[in-house]
Coordinates of all heavy atoms in Angstrom, one line a residue:
T107 N 1.4 11.1 3.1 CA 1.1 11.5 4.5 C 0.5 12.9 4.6 O 0.0 13.3 5.6 CB 2.3 11.5 5.4 OG1 3.4 12.3 4.8 CG2 2.9 10.1 5.5
N108 N 0.5 13.7 3.5 CA -0.1 15.0 3.5 C -1.5 14.9 2.8 O -2.1 16.0 2.4 CB 0.8 16.1 2.8 CG 1.2 15.7 1.4 OD1 0.8 14.7 0.9 ND2 2.1 16.5 0.9
G109 N -2.1 13.7 2.6 CA -3.4 13.6 2.2 C -3.6 13.6 0.7 O -4.8 13.8 0.2
W110 N -2.6 13.4 -0.1 CA -2.7 13.5 -1.6 C -2.6 12.1 -2.2 O -2.0 11.2 -1.6 CB -1.6 14.4 -2.2 CG -1.7 15.8 -1.8 CD1 -2.7 16.4 -1.2 CD2 -0.7 16.8 -1.9 NE1 -2.5 17.8 -1.0 CE2 -1.2 18.0 -1.4 CE3 0.6 16.8 -2.4 CZ2 -0.4 19.2 -1.3 CZ3 1.4 17.9 -2.3 CH2 0.9 19.1 -1.8
L111 N -3.2 11.9 -3.3 CA -3.2 10.7 -4.1 C -2.6 11.0 -5.5 O -3.0 11.9 -6.2 CB -4.6 10.1 -4.3 CG -5.2 9.3 -3.1 CD1 -6.6 9.0 -3.4 CD2 -4.4 8.1 -2.8
F112 N -1.6 10.1 -5.9 CA -1.0 10.3 -7.2 C -1.2 8.9 -7.9 O -1.4 7.9 -7.3 CB 0.5 10.5 -7.0 CG 0.9 11.7 -6.2 CD1 1.0 11.6 -4.8 CD2 1.1 12.9 -6.8 CE1 1.3 12.7 -4.1 CE2 1.4 14.0 -6.0 CZ 1.5 13.9 -4.7
R113 N -1.1 9.0 -9.3 CA -1.2 7.8 -10.0 C -0.4 7.9 -11.3 O -0.1 9.0 -11.8 CB -2.7 7.4 -10.4 CG -3.4 8.5 -11.2 CD -4.8 8.0 -11.5 NE -5.6 9.0 -12.1 CZ -6.8 8.8 -12.7 NH1 -7.3 7.6 -12.7 NH2 -7.5 9.8 -13.2
T114 N 0.1 6.8 -11.8 CA 0.8 6.7 -13.0 C 0.3 5.5 -13.9 O 0.0 4.5 -13.4 CB 2.3 6.5 -12.8 OG1 3.0 6.4 -14.0 CG2 2.6 5.3 -11.9
A115 N 0.2 5.8 -15.2 CA -0.3 4.7 -16.1 C 0.8 4.3 -17.0 O 0.5 3.4 -17.9 CB -1.5 5.3 -16.9
D116 N 2.0 4.8 -16.9 CA 3.1 4.4 -17.8 C 4.3 3.8 -17.0 O 5.5 4.1 -17.4 CB 3.5 5.6 -18.6 CG 3.9 6.8 -17.8 OD1 4.1 6.7 -16.6 OD2 4.1 7.9 -18.3
G117 N 4.0 3.1 -15.9 CA 5.1 2.5 -15.2 C 6.0 3.4 -14.4 O 7.1 3.1 -14.0
G118 N 5.4 4.6 -14.0 CA 6.2 5.5 -13.2 C 7.0 6.6 -14.0 O 7.7 7.4 -13.4
Q119 N 6.9 6.6 -15.3 CA 7.6 7.6 -16.1 C 7.0 9.0 -15.9 O 7.7 10.0 -15.9 CB 7.6 7.3 -17.6 CG 8.3 5.9 -17.9 CD 9.7 5.9 -17.4 OE1 10.5 6.8 -17.7 NE2 10.0 4.9 -16.7
S120 N 5.7 9.1 -15.6 CA 5.1 10.3 -15.4 C 3.9 10.1 -14.4 O 3.3 9.0 -14.3 CB 4.5 11.0 -16.6 OG 3.5 10.1 -17.2
W121 N 3.7 11.1 -13.5 CA 2.7 11.0 -12.4 C 1.7 12.2 -12.5 O 2.1 13.3 -12.9 CB 3.4 11.0 -11.0 CG 4.2 9.8 -10.8 CD1 5.5 9.5 -11.2 CD2 3.8 8.6 -10.0 NE1 5.9 8.3 -10.7 CE2 4.9 7.7 -10.0 CE3 2.7 8.3 -9.3 CZ2 4.9 6.5 -9.3 CZ3 2.6 7.1 -8.7 CH2 3.7 6.2 -8.7
S122 N 0.5 11.9 -12.1 CA -0.5 13.0 -12.0 C -1.1 12.9 -10.6 O -1.2 11.9 -10.0 CB -1.6 12.8 -13.0 OG -2.3 11.6 -12.9
R123 N -1.4 14.1 -10.1 CA -2.0 14.2 -8.8 C -3.5 14.4 -9.0 O -4.0 15.2 -9.7 CB -1.4 15.4 -8.1 CG -2.1 15.7 -6.7 CD -1.3 16.9 -6.0 NE -2.1 17.6 -5.1 CZ -1.8 18.8 -4.6 NH1 -0.6 19.3 -4.8 NH2 -2.6 19.4 -3.7
N124 N -4.3 13.5 -8.2 CA -5.7 13.6 -8.3 C -6.3 14.7 -7.5 O -6.6 14.6 -6.3 CB -6.3 12.3 -7.9 CG -6.3 11.2 -8.9 OD1 -6.1 11.5 -10.1 ND2 -6.6 10.0 -8.6
T125 N -6.4 15.9 -8.1 CA -6.9 17.1 -7.3 C -8.3 16.9 -6.9 O -8.7 17.5 -5.9 CB -6.7 18.4 -8.2 OG1 -7.4 18.2 -9.4 CG2 -5.2 18.6 -8.4
N126 N -9.1 16.1 -7.7 CA -10.5 15.9 -7.3 C -10.6 15.0 -6.0 O -11.6 15.0 -5.3 CB -11.3 15.2 -8.4 CG -11.5 16.1 -9.5 OD1 -11.6 17.3 -9.4 ND2 -11.6 15.5 -10.7
L127 N -9.5 14.3 -5.7 CA -9.5 13.5 -4.5 C -8.6 14.1 -3.4 O -8.0 13.3 -2.6 CB -8.9 12.1 -4.9 CG -9.8 11.2 -5.8 CD1 -9.3 9.9 -6.0 CD2 -11.2 11.1 -5.2
E128 N -8.6 15.4 -3.3 CA -7.9 16.0 -2.2 C -8.6 15.6 -0.9 O -9.9 15.5 -0.9 CB -7.9 17.5 -2.3 CG -7.1 18.0 -3.5 CD -5.6 17.7 -3.4 OE1 -4.9 18.3 -2.6 OE2 -5.2 16.7 -4.1
A129 N -7.9 15.3 0.1 CA -8.5 14.7 1.3 C -9.3 15.7 2.0 O -8.8 16.5 2.9 CB -7.4 14.2 2.2
A130 N -10.6 15.8 1.7 CA -11.5 16.7 2.3 C -11.7 16.4 3.8 O -12.1 17.2 4.6 CB -12.8 16.7 1.6
Y131 N -11.5 15.1 4.2 CA -11.8 14.7 5.5 C -10.5 14.3 6.3 O -10.6 13.9 7.4 CB -12.7 13.5 5.5 CG -14.1 13.8 4.9 CD1 -14.3 13.5 3.6 CD2 -15.0 14.5 5.6 CE1 -15.5 13.9 3.0 CE2 -16.3 14.8 5.1 CZ -16.5 14.5 3.8 OH -17.7 14.8 3.2
S132 N -9.3 14.3 5.6 CA -8.1 13.9 6.3 C -6.9 14.5 5.6 O -6.9 14.7 4.4 CB -8.0 12.4 6.2 OG -6.8 11.9 6.7
N133 N -5.9 14.8 6.4 CA -4.6 15.2 5.8 C -3.5 14.2 6.1 O -2.3 14.5 5.9 CB -4.2 16.6 6.5 CG -4.0 16.5 8.0 OD1 -4.2 15.4 8.6 ND2 -3.8 17.6 8.6
F134 N -3.9 12.9 6.3 CA -2.9 11.9 6.5 C -3.6 10.6 6.0 O -4.7 10.2 6.5 CB -2.5 11.7 7.9 CG -1.3 10.8 8.1 CD1 -0.1 11.4 8.4 CD2 -1.4 9.5 8.0 CE1 1.1 10.6 8.6 CE2 -0.3 8.6 8.2 CZ 0.9 9.2 8.5
I135 N -3.0 9.9 5.0 CA -3.5 8.6 4.5 C -2.7 7.5 5.1 O -1.5 7.4 4.7 CB -3.5 8.6 3.0 CG1 -4.4 9.7 2.4 CG2 -3.9 7.3 2.5 CD1 -4.3 9.9 0.9
Y136 N -3.2 6.6 5.9 CA -2.6 5.5 6.4 C -2.5 4.4 5.3 O -1.5 3.7 5.1 CB -3.2 4.9 7.6 CG -3.1 5.7 8.9 CD1 -4.1 6.4 9.4 CD2 -1.8 5.7 9.5 CE1 -3.9 7.2 10.5 CE2 -1.7 6.4 10.7 CZ -2.7 7.2 11.2 OH -2.6 7.9 12.4
D137 N -3.6 4.2 4.6 CA -3.7 3.2 3.6 C -4.9 3.5 2.7 O -5.7 4.4 3.0 CB -3.9 1.8 4.2 CG -3.7 0.6 3.3 OD1 -3.2 0.9 2.1 OD2 -4.0 -0.5 3.7
F138 N -5.0 2.9 1.5 CA -6.2 3.1 0.7 C -6.4 1.8 -0.1 O -5.6 0.9 -0.2 CB -6.0 4.3 -0.2 CG -5.0 4.2 -1.3 CD1 -5.3 3.8 -2.6 CD2 -3.7 4.5 -1.1 CE1 -4.4 3.7 -3.6 CE2 -2.7 4.4 -2.0 CZ -3.1 4.0 -3.3
C139 N -7.6 1.7 -0.7 CA -8.0 0.5 -1.4 C -8.8 0.9 -2.6 O -9.7 1.8 -2.5 CB -8.8 -0.4 -0.4 SG -9.6 -1.8 -1.2
I140 N -8.6 0.4 -3.7 CA -9.4 0.6 -4.9 C -10.2 -0.7 -5.2 O -9.6 -1.8 -5.5 CB -8.5 0.9 -6.2 CG1 -7.6 2.1 -5.9 CG2 -9.4 1.2 -7.4 CD1 -6.5 2.3 -6.9
T141 N -11.5 -0.7 -5.0 CA -12.3 -1.9 -5.0 C -12.5 -2.3 -6.5 O -12.2 -1.7 -7.4 CB -13.6 -1.6 -4.3 OG1 -14.5 -0.8 -5.2 CG2 -13.5 -1.0 -3.0
R142 N -13.2 -3.5 -6.6 CA -13.5 -4.1 -7.9 C -14.4 -3.2 -8.7 O -14.4 -3.2 -9.9 CB -14.1 -5.4 -7.7 CG -13.2 -6.5 -7.1 CD -13.9 -7.7 -6.8 NE -13.1 -8.7 -6.0 CZ -13.6 -9.8 -5.6 NH1 -14.8 -10.2 -5.7 NH2 -12.8 -10.6 -4.9
D143 N -15.2 -2.4 -8.0 CA -16.2 -1.5 -8.6 C -15.6 -0.1 -8.8 O -16.3 0.9 -9.1 CB -17.5 -1.4 -7.8 CG -18.2 -2.7 -7.8 OD1 -18.1 -3.4 -8.8 OD2 -18.9 -3.0 -6.8
N144 N -14.2 0.1 -8.6 CA -13.5 1.3 -8.8 C -13.8 2.4 -7.8 O -13.7 3.6 -8.0 CB -13.7 1.8 -10.2 CG -12.9 1.1 -11.2 OD1 -11.7 0.6 -10.9 ND2 -13.4 0.9 -12.4
T145 N -14.3 2.0 -6.6 CA -14.5 2.9 -5.5 C -13.2 3.0 -4.8 O -12.5 2.0 -4.6 CB -15.6 2.4 -4.5 OG1 -16.8 2.3 -5.2 CG2 -15.7 3.3 -3.3
V146 N -12.8 4.3 -4.4 CA -11.6 4.5 -3.7 C -11.9 4.7 -2.2 O -12.8 5.5 -1.9 CB -10.8 5.7 -4.2 CG1 -9.6 6.0 -3.3 CG2 -10.4 5.5 -5.6
L147 N -11.3 3.9 -1.3 CA -11.5 4.0 0.1 C -10.2 4.5 0.7 O -9.1 3.9 0.4 CB -11.9 2.7 0.7 CG -13.2 2.1 0.2 CD1 -13.4 0.7 0.7 CD2 -14.4 3.0 0.5
L148 N -10.2 5.4 1.6 CA -9.1 5.9 2.4 C -9.1 5.5 3.8 O -10.1 5.6 4.5 CB -9.0 7.4 2.3 CG -8.7 8.1 1.0 CD1 -8.5 9.6 1.3 CD2 -7.5 7.6 0.3
A149 N -8.0 4.9 4.3 CA -7.9 4.6 5.7 C -7.2 5.9 6.3 O -6.0 6.1 6.0 CB -7.0 3.4 6.0
A150 N -7.9 6.7 7.1 CA -7.4 8.0 7.5 C -7.6 8.1 9.0 O -8.1 7.3 9.7 CB -8.2 9.1 6.7
V151 N -7.1 9.3 9.4 CA -7.0 9.6 10.9 C -8.4 9.7 11.5 O -8.6 9.6 12.7 CB -6.2 10.8 11.2 CG1 -4.8 10.6 10.8 CG2 -6.8 12.0 10.4
N152 N -9.4 10.0 10.6 CA -10.8 10.1 11.2 C -11.7 9.0 10.6 O -12.9 9.2 10.6 CB -11.3 11.5 10.8 CG -11.2 11.8 9.3 OD1 -10.5 11.0 8.6 ND2 -11.9 12.8 8.8
G153 N -11.2 7.9 10.3 CA -12.0 6.8 9.8 C -11.8 6.4 8.4 O -10.7 6.6 7.9
V154 N -12.8 6.0 7.7 CA -12.7 5.6 6.3 C -13.5 6.6 5.5 O -14.7 6.9 5.7 CB -13.3 4.2 6.1 CG1 -13.3 3.8 4.6 CG2 -12.5 3.1 6.9
C155 N -12.8 7.1 4.4 CA -13.5 8.0 3.5 C -13.7 7.3 2.2 O -12.9 6.4 1.8 CB -12.6 9.3 3.2 SG -12.2 10.2 4.7
R156 N -14.7 7.6 1.4 CA -15.1 6.9 0.3 C -15.5 7.8 -0.9 O -16.1 8.8 -0.7 CB -16.4 6.1 0.7 CG -16.9 5.1 -0.4 CD -18.1 4.3 0.2 NE -18.6 3.3 -0.7 CZ -19.6 3.5 -1.6 NH1 -20.2 4.7 -1.6 NH2 -20.0 2.5 -2.4
S157 N -15.0 7.4 -2.1 CA -15.3 8.1 -3.3 C -15.6 7.2 -4.4 O -14.8 6.3 -4.8 CB -14.1 9.0 -3.7 OG -14.4 9.8 -4.9
E158 N -16.8 7.3 -5.0 CA -17.2 6.4 -6.1 C -16.7 7.0 -7.4 O -16.5 8.2 -7.6 CB -18.7 6.2 -6.2 CG -19.3 5.5 -5.0 CD -20.8 5.4 -5.1 OE1 -21.4 5.8 -6.1 OE2 -21.4 4.7 -4.2
F159 N -16.4 6.1 -8.4 CA -16.0 6.5 -9.7 C -17.0 7.4 -10.3 O -18.2 7.2 -10.2 CB -15.8 5.2 -10.6 CG -15.3 5.5 -12.0 CD1 -13.9 5.7 -12.2 CD2 -16.1 5.6 -13.1 CE1 -13.4 5.9 -13.5 CE2 -15.7 5.9 -14.3 CZ -14.3 6.1 -14.5
P160 N -16.7 8.5 -10.9 CA -15.3 9.0 -11.4 C -14.6 9.8 -10.4 O -13.8 10.7 -10.8 CB -15.6 9.7 -12.7 CG -17.0 10.4 -12.3 CD -17.7 9.4 -11.5
W161 N -14.8 9.6 -9.1 CA -13.9 10.2 -8.1 C -13.9 11.7 -8.1 O -12.9 12.4 -8.1 CB -12.5 9.7 -8.2 CG -12.4 8.2 -8.4 CD1 -13.0 7.2 -7.7 CD2 -11.6 7.6 -9.4 NE1 -12.6 6.0 -8.2 CE2 -11.7 6.2 -9.2 CE3 -10.7 8.0 -10.4 CZ2 -11.1 5.2 -10.0 CZ3 -10.1 7.1 -11.2 CH2 -10.3 5.7 -11.0
Q162 N -15.1 12.3 -7.9 CA -15.2 13.7 -7.9 C -15.4 14.3 -6.5 O -15.2 15.5 -6.2 CB -16.4 14.2 -8.8 CG -16.3 13.8 -10.2 CD -15.1 14.5 -10.9 OE1 -14.9 15.7 -10.7 NE2 -14.3 13.8 -11.6
S163 N -15.8 13.5 -5.5 CA -16.1 14.0 -4.2 C -16.0 12.8 -3.2 O -16.0 11.6 -3.5 CB -17.5 14.6 -4.1 OG -18.5 13.6 -4.4
W164 N -15.9 13.2 -1.9 CA -15.7 12.2 -0.8 C -17.0 12.2 0.1 O -17.7 13.2 0.2 CB -14.5 12.6 0.1 CG -13.2 12.4 -0.5 CD1 -12.3 13.4 -1.0 CD2 -12.5 11.2 -0.8 NE1 -11.2 12.8 -1.5 CE2 -11.3 11.5 -1.4 CE3 -12.8 9.8 -0.5 CZ2 -10.4 10.5 -1.7 CZ3 -11.9 8.9 -0.9 CH2 -10.7 9.2 -1.5
S165 N -17.2 11.0 0.7 CA -18.2 10.9 1.8 C -17.5 10.2 2.9 O -16.5 9.4 2.7 CB -19.4 10.2 1.3 OG -19.1 8.8 0.9
V166 N -18.0 10.3 4.1 CA -17.5 9.7 5.3 C -18.2 8.3 5.4 O -19.4 8.2 5.6 CB -17.7 10.5 6.6 CG1 -17.2 9.7 7.8 CG2 -17.0 11.8 6.4
A167 N -17.4 7.2 5.3 CA -18.0 5.9 5.4 C -18.0 5.5 6.9 O -19.0 4.8 7.3 CB -17.2 4.9 4.6
T168 N -17.0 5.7 7.7 CA -17.0 5.5 9.1 C -16.4 6.8 9.8 O -15.4 7.3 9.4 CB -16.1 4.3 9.5 OG1 -14.7 4.6 9.2 CG2 -16.6 3.1 8.8
D169 N -17.1 7.3 10.7 CA -16.7 8.5 11.4 C -15.9 8.2 12.6 O -16.4 8.2 13.8 CB -18.0 9.3 11.8 CG -17.6 10.7 12.3 OD1 -16.4 11.1 12.1 OD2 -18.5 11.4 12.8
G170 N -14.6 7.9 12.4 CA -13.7 7.6 13.5 C -14.0 6.3 14.2 O -15.1 5.8 14.0
P171 N -13.1 5.7 14.9 CA -11.7 6.1 15.1 C -10.8 5.9 13.9 O -11.4 5.5 12.8 CB -11.3 5.3 16.3 CG -12.1 4.0 16.1 CD -13.4 4.4 15.6
A172 N -9.6 6.2 14.0 CA -8.7 6.1 12.9 C -8.6 4.7 12.3 O -8.5 3.7 13.0 CB -7.3 6.6 13.3
S173 N -8.7 4.6 11.0 CA -8.5 3.4 10.3 C -7.0 3.3 9.8 O -6.4 4.2 9.3 CB -9.4 3.3 9.0 OG -9.1 2.1 8.3
Q174 N -6.4 2.1 10.1 CA -5.0 2.0 9.8 C -4.7 1.1 8.6 O -3.6 1.2 8.0 CB -4.3 1.3 11.0 CG -4.5 2.0 12.4 CD -3.6 3.2 12.5 OE1 -2.6 3.3 11.9 NE2 -4.1 4.1 13.4
A175 N -5.6 0.3 8.2 CA -5.4 -0.6 7.0 C -6.7 -1.0 6.3 O -7.7 -1.0 7.0 CB -4.7 -1.9 7.5
L176 N -6.6 -1.3 5.0 CA -7.7 -1.7 4.3 C -7.4 -2.9 3.4 O -6.2 -2.9 2.9 CB -8.3 -0.6 3.4 CG -9.0 0.6 4.1 CD1 -9.1 1.8 3.1 CD2 -10.3 0.2 4.6
L177 N -8.3 -3.8 3.1 CA -8.1 -4.9 2.2 C -9.5 -5.4 1.7 O -10.4 -5.5 2.4 CB -7.4 -6.1 2.9 CG -7.3 -7.3 2.0 CD1 -6.2 -7.1 0.9 CD2 -7.0 -8.5 2.9

Side-chain angles (χ1 to χ4, degrees):
T107 56
N108 54 7
W110 296 344
L111 282 172
F112 304 86
R113 61 176 171 170
T114 175
D116 56 12
Q119 298 304 308
S120 61
W121 292 82
S122 61
R123 177 175 153 191
N124 278 349
T125 55
N126 288 332
L127 292 185
E128 295 298 286
Y131 300 97
S132 173
N133 59 3
F134 192 106
I135 299 173
Y136 288 107
D137 195 6
F138 68 96
C139 173
I140 307 170
T141 72
R142 298 173 185 173
D143 294 330
N144 285 323
T145 296
V146 177
L147 302 172
L148 293 186
V151 294
N152 53 345
V154 177
C155 303
R156 185 174 184 270
S157 181
E158 295 182 357
F159 185 82
W161 313 313
Q162 298 296 313
S163 61
W164 289 106
S165 63
V166 177
T168 65
D169 189 10
S173 175
Q174 304 284 336
L176 289 166
L177 173 74

